[in-house]
Coordinates of all heavy atoms in Angstrom, one line a residue:
H267 N 26.8 -36.7 7.9 CA 27.5 -37.5 6.9 C 28.1 -38.7 7.6 O 28.6 -38.6 8.7 CB 28.6 -36.7 6.2 CG 28.1 -35.6 5.3 ND1 27.7 -34.4 5.8 CD2 28.0 -35.5 4.0 CE1 27.4 -33.6 4.8 NE2 27.5 -34.3 3.7
L268 N 28.2 -39.8 6.9 CA 28.9 -41.0 7.3 C 30.3 -41.0 6.6 O 30.4 -40.5 5.5 CB 28.2 -42.2 7.0 CG 26.7 -42.3 7.4 CD1 26.1 -43.7 7.0 CD2 26.5 -42.0 8.8
V269 N 31.3 -41.6 7.3 CA 32.6 -41.8 6.7 C 32.8 -43.3 6.6 O 32.7 -44.1 7.6 CB 33.7 -41.2 7.5 CG1 35.1 -41.4 6.8 CG2 33.4 -39.7 7.8
L270 N 33.1 -43.8 5.3 CA 33.3 -45.2 5.1 C 34.7 -45.3 4.5 O 35.3 -44.4 3.9 CB 32.3 -45.7 4.0 CG 30.8 -45.5 4.3 CD1 30.0 -46.1 3.1 CD2 30.4 -46.2 5.6
R271 N 35.4 -46.5 4.6 CA 36.6 -46.8 3.9 C 36.2 -47.0 2.5 O 35.2 -47.6 2.1 CB 37.3 -48.0 4.5 CG 37.6 -47.9 6.0 CD 38.8 -47.0 6.2 NE 39.2 -47.2 7.6 CZ 40.1 -46.3 8.2 NH1 40.5 -45.2 7.6 NH2 40.4 -46.5 9.5
S272 N 37.1 -46.6 1.5 CA 36.8 -46.7 0.1 C 36.6 -48.2 -0.3 O 35.7 -48.4 -1.1 CB 38.0 -46.2 -0.7 OG 38.1 -44.8 -0.5
E273 N 37.3 -49.1 0.3 CA 37.1 -50.5 -0.1 C 35.7 -51.0 0.2 O 35.3 -52.0 -0.3 CB 38.1 -51.4 0.6 CG 38.2 -51.3 2.1 CD 39.2 -50.3 2.6 OE1 39.5 -49.3 1.9 OE2 39.7 -50.5 3.7
T274 N 35.0 -50.4 1.1 CA 33.6 -50.8 1.4 C 32.7 -50.8 0.2 O 31.9 -51.7 0.0 CB 33.0 -49.9 2.6 OG1 33.9 -50.0 3.7 CG2 31.6 -50.4 3.0
L275 N 32.9 -49.8 -0.6 CA 32.0 -49.6 -1.8 C 32.8 -49.9 -3.1 O 32.2 -49.9 -4.2 CB 31.5 -48.2 -1.9 CG 30.7 -47.7 -0.7 CD1 30.2 -46.3 -0.9 CD2 29.5 -48.6 -0.5
G276 N 34.0 -50.3 -3.0 CA 34.8 -50.6 -4.2 C 35.1 -49.4 -5.0 O 35.0 -48.3 -4.5
R277 N 35.5 -49.6 -6.2 CA 36.0 -48.5 -7.1 C 34.8 -47.6 -7.4 O 33.8 -48.1 -7.9 CB 36.6 -49.0 -8.3 CG 37.1 -47.9 -9.3 CD 37.6 -48.5 -10.6 NE 36.7 -49.3 -11.3 CZ 35.7 -48.9 -12.1 NH1 35.5 -47.6 -12.2 NH2 34.9 -49.7 -12.6
L278 N 34.9 -46.3 -7.2 CA 33.9 -45.3 -7.6 C 34.6 -44.3 -8.4 O 35.4 -43.5 -7.9 CB 33.3 -44.7 -6.3 CG 32.2 -45.4 -5.6 CD1 31.8 -44.7 -4.3 CD2 31.0 -45.7 -6.5
S279 N 34.2 -44.2 -9.7 CA 34.8 -43.2 -10.6 C 34.0 -41.9 -10.6 O 34.3 -40.9 -11.2 CB 34.9 -43.7 -12.0 OG 35.8 -44.8 -12.0
A280 N 32.8 -41.9 -9.9 CA 31.9 -40.8 -9.8 C 31.2 -40.8 -8.5 O 31.1 -41.8 -7.8 CB 30.9 -40.8 -11.0
G281 N 30.7 -39.6 -8.1 CA 29.8 -39.6 -7.0 C 28.5 -40.1 -7.4 O 28.2 -40.3 -8.5
L282 N 27.6 -40.4 -6.4 CA 26.3 -40.9 -6.7 C 25.2 -40.0 -6.0 O 25.4 -39.4 -4.9 CB 26.1 -42.3 -6.1 CG 26.9 -43.4 -6.6 CD1 26.7 -44.7 -5.8 CD2 26.6 -43.6 -8.1
H283 N 24.1 -39.8 -6.8 CA 22.9 -39.2 -6.3 C 21.9 -40.3 -6.1 O 21.5 -40.9 -7.1 CB 22.3 -38.2 -7.3 CG 23.0 -36.9 -7.4 ND1 23.5 -36.4 -8.6 CD2 23.3 -35.9 -6.4 CE1 24.0 -35.2 -8.3 NE2 23.9 -34.9 -7.1
I284 N 21.7 -40.7 -4.9 CA 20.7 -41.8 -4.6 C 19.4 -41.2 -4.2 O 19.4 -40.6 -3.1 CB 21.3 -42.8 -3.6 CG1 22.6 -43.4 -4.1 CG2 20.3 -44.0 -3.4 CD1 23.2 -44.4 -3.2
P285 N 18.3 -41.4 -5.0 CA 17.1 -40.8 -4.6 C 16.6 -41.3 -3.2 O 16.7 -42.5 -3.0 CB 16.1 -41.2 -5.7 CG 17.0 -41.5 -6.9 CD 18.3 -42.1 -6.3
I286 N 16.0 -40.5 -2.4 CA 15.4 -40.9 -1.2 C 14.0 -41.4 -1.4 O 13.2 -40.7 -2.0 CB 15.4 -39.7 -0.2 CG1 16.8 -39.3 0.2 CG2 14.6 -40.1 1.1 CD1 16.9 -38.0 1.1
P287 N 13.7 -42.7 -1.1 CA 12.4 -43.2 -1.4 C 11.3 -42.3 -0.8 O 11.4 -41.9 0.3 CB 12.5 -44.6 -0.8 CG 13.9 -45.0 -0.8 CD 14.6 -43.7 -0.5
G288 N 10.3 -42.1 -1.7 CA 9.2 -41.3 -1.2 C 9.4 -39.8 -1.3 O 8.5 -39.0 -1.1
E289 N 10.6 -39.3 -1.7 CA 10.9 -37.9 -1.9 C 11.1 -37.6 -3.4 O 11.6 -38.4 -4.1 CB 12.1 -37.5 -1.1 CG 12.1 -37.7 0.3 CD 11.4 -36.6 1.1 OE1 11.1 -35.6 0.4 OE2 11.2 -36.7 2.3
T290 N 10.7 -36.4 -3.8 CA 10.8 -36.0 -5.2 C 12.2 -35.4 -5.6 O 12.8 -35.8 -6.6 CB 9.7 -35.0 -5.6 OG1 8.4 -35.6 -5.3 CG2 9.8 -34.7 -7.1
N291 N 12.6 -34.5 -4.8 CA 13.9 -33.8 -5.2 C 15.0 -33.9 -4.1 O 15.8 -33.0 -4.0 CB 13.5 -32.3 -5.4 CG 12.7 -32.1 -6.7 OD1 13.1 -32.7 -7.7 ND2 11.7 -31.4 -6.6
R292 N 15.0 -34.9 -3.3 CA 16.0 -35.1 -2.3 C 16.8 -36.4 -2.6 O 16.2 -37.4 -3.0 CB 15.4 -35.1 -0.9 CG 14.8 -33.8 -0.4 CD 14.4 -33.9 1.0 NE 15.6 -34.2 1.9 CZ 15.5 -34.7 3.1 NH1 14.3 -35.1 3.6 NH2 16.5 -35.0 3.8
F293 N 18.1 -36.3 -2.3 CA 19.0 -37.4 -2.6 C 20.0 -37.5 -1.5 O 20.3 -36.6 -0.8 CB 19.8 -37.1 -3.9 CG 18.9 -36.8 -5.1 CD1 18.5 -35.5 -5.4 CD2 18.5 -37.8 -5.9 CE1 17.7 -35.2 -6.5 CE2 17.7 -37.6 -7.0 CZ 17.3 -36.3 -7.3
V294 N 20.5 -38.7 -1.3 CA 21.6 -39.0 -0.5 C 22.8 -39.0 -1.4 O 22.8 -39.6 -2.5 CB 21.5 -40.3 0.3 CG1 22.9 -40.8 0.8 CG2 20.6 -40.2 1.4
L295 N 23.9 -38.3 -1.0 CA 25.1 -38.2 -1.9 C 26.2 -39.2 -1.4 O 26.4 -39.3 -0.2 CB 25.7 -36.8 -1.8 CG 24.7 -35.7 -2.2 CD1 25.5 -34.3 -2.1 CD2 24.1 -35.9 -3.6
V296 N 26.8 -39.9 -2.3 CA 27.9 -40.7 -2.1 C 29.1 -40.0 -2.7 O 29.2 -39.8 -3.9 CB 27.8 -42.1 -2.6 CG1 29.0 -43.0 -2.4 CG2 26.5 -42.8 -2.0
L297 N 30.1 -39.6 -1.9 CA 31.2 -38.7 -2.3 C 32.5 -39.3 -2.1 O 33.1 -39.2 -1.0 CB 31.0 -37.4 -1.5 CG 29.7 -36.7 -1.6 CD1 29.5 -35.8 -0.4 CD2 29.6 -35.9 -2.9
P298 N 33.1 -39.9 -3.1 CA 34.5 -40.4 -3.0 C 35.5 -39.3 -2.8 O 35.4 -38.2 -3.5 CB 34.8 -41.1 -4.3 CG 33.8 -40.6 -5.3 CD 32.6 -40.2 -4.4
Q299 N 36.4 -39.4 -1.8 CA 37.3 -38.3 -1.5 C 38.7 -38.4 -2.0 O 39.5 -37.4 -2.0 CB 37.4 -38.2 0.1 CG 36.1 -37.9 0.7 CD 35.5 -36.6 0.3 OE1 36.1 -35.5 0.4 NE2 34.3 -36.6 -0.3
G300 N 39.0 -39.5 -2.6 CA 40.4 -39.7 -3.1 C 41.5 -39.9 -2.1 O 42.7 -39.8 -2.4
D301 N 41.1 -40.1 -0.8 CA 42.1 -40.2 0.3 C 41.8 -41.5 1.0 O 42.2 -41.7 2.2 CB 42.0 -39.1 1.2 CG 40.7 -38.9 1.9 OD1 39.7 -39.7 1.6 OD2 40.5 -38.0 2.7
G302 N 41.2 -42.5 0.4 CA 40.9 -43.7 1.0 C 39.5 -43.7 1.8 O 39.2 -44.7 2.5
R303 N 38.8 -42.6 1.6 CA 37.5 -42.5 2.3 C 36.4 -42.1 1.4 O 36.6 -41.5 0.3 CB 37.6 -41.4 3.5 CG 38.6 -41.8 4.5 CD 38.8 -40.6 5.5 NE 39.7 -40.9 6.6 CZ 40.1 -40.0 7.5 NH1 39.5 -38.8 7.5 NH2 40.9 -40.3 8.4
V304 N 35.2 -42.4 1.8 CA 34.0 -42.0 1.1 C 33.0 -41.4 2.1 O 32.8 -41.9 3.2 CB 33.3 -43.2 0.4 CG1 32.0 -42.8 -0.3 CG2 34.2 -43.8 -0.6
Y305 N 32.4 -40.2 1.7 CA 31.4 -39.6 2.6 C 30.0 -40.0 2.1 O 29.8 -40.0 0.8 CB 31.5 -38.1 2.6 CG 32.8 -37.6 3.2 CD1 33.3 -36.3 2.9 CD2 33.7 -38.3 4.0 CE1 34.5 -35.8 3.4 CE2 34.9 -37.9 4.5 CZ 35.3 -36.6 4.2 OH 36.5 -36.1 4.6
V306 N 29.1 -40.2 2.9 CA 27.7 -40.5 2.6 C 26.8 -39.5 3.4 O 26.9 -39.5 4.6 CB 27.3 -41.9 2.9 CG1 25.8 -42.2 2.5 CG2 28.2 -42.9 2.1
G307 N 26.1 -38.7 2.7 CA 25.2 -37.8 3.4 C 24.2 -37.2 2.4 O 24.2 -37.5 1.2
L308 N 23.3 -36.4 2.8 CA 23.2 -35.8 4.1 C 21.8 -35.7 4.5 O 20.9 -35.8 3.7 CB 24.0 -34.5 4.2 CG 23.4 -33.2 3.6 CD1 24.2 -32.0 4.1 CD2 23.4 -33.2 2.0
T309 N 21.6 -35.5 5.8 CA 20.3 -35.3 6.3 C 19.9 -33.9 6.4 O 20.7 -33.0 6.2 CB 20.2 -35.9 7.8 OG1 21.1 -35.3 8.6 CG2 20.5 -37.4 7.7
D310 N 18.7 -33.6 6.7 CA 18.2 -32.2 6.8 C 17.1 -32.2 7.9 O 16.0 -32.3 7.7 CB 17.6 -31.7 5.5 CG 17.6 -30.1 5.5 OD1 17.4 -29.5 6.6 OD2 17.6 -29.6 4.4
E311 N 17.6 -32.1 9.2 CA 16.7 -32.2 10.3 C 16.8 -31.0 11.2 O 17.8 -30.4 11.5 CB 17.1 -33.4 11.2 CG 17.0 -34.8 10.5 CD 15.6 -35.1 10.1 OE1 14.7 -34.7 10.8 OE2 15.5 -35.8 9.0

Side-chain angles (χ1 to χ4, degrees):
H267 292 79
L268 311 181
V269 184
L270 310 176
R271 302 287 190 193
S272 295
E273 55 265 27
T274 302
L275 300 182
R277 178 184 58 81
L278 281 175
S279 301
L282 295 175
H283 287 122
I284 300 181
I286 297 175
E289 301 275 355
T290 303
N291 290 312
R292 289 187 62 203
F293 304 89
V294 163
L295 305 181
V296 179
L297 303 158
Q299 298 301 301
D301 61 358
R303 299 173 179 177
V304 176
Y305 299 159
V306 177
L308 71 168
T309 60
D310 198 332
E311 299 295 330

